[in-house]
Amino acid sequence: MDYVSALVPPVVMATFFIFLVRTIVKSQGGANKAKEDAAVDAAIARAEAAQQQPAHTPDTQSV
């Protein structure tokens, strides 16, 4: 019976890993791919726009 208890954890982990990979592969693409891509593009555009805006500095020369 020791061999059964030694084999159970690797078999359980392998089964979990297989289902995890299948889930990841199935979730790629599909009907929501365009929506997800648009959301990522919008987030990148907002980050780039925030980087390009100049920081407001107070005018120190008018004393």
Side-chain angles (χ1 to χ4, degrees):
M1 288 305 281
D2 288 338
Y3 63 91
V4 173
S5 63
L7 289 176
V8 168
V11 170
V12 170
M13 288 188 292
T15 304
F16 174 75
F17 184 73
I18 289 168
F19 281 111
L20 177 67
V21 169
R22 284 187 63 205
T23 302
I24 291 172
V25 169
K26 281 184 158 185
S27 68
Q28 300 298 313
N32 291 328
K33 183 172 177 28
K35 187 190 296 185
E36 292 169 1
D37 289 347
V40 170
D41 289 342
I44 291 172
R46 274 181 278 159
E48 288 177 353
Q51 263 185 344
Q52 291 177 357
Q53 290 178 351
H56 179 67
T57 57
D59 190 14
T60 57
Q61 305 235 347
S62 62
V63 175

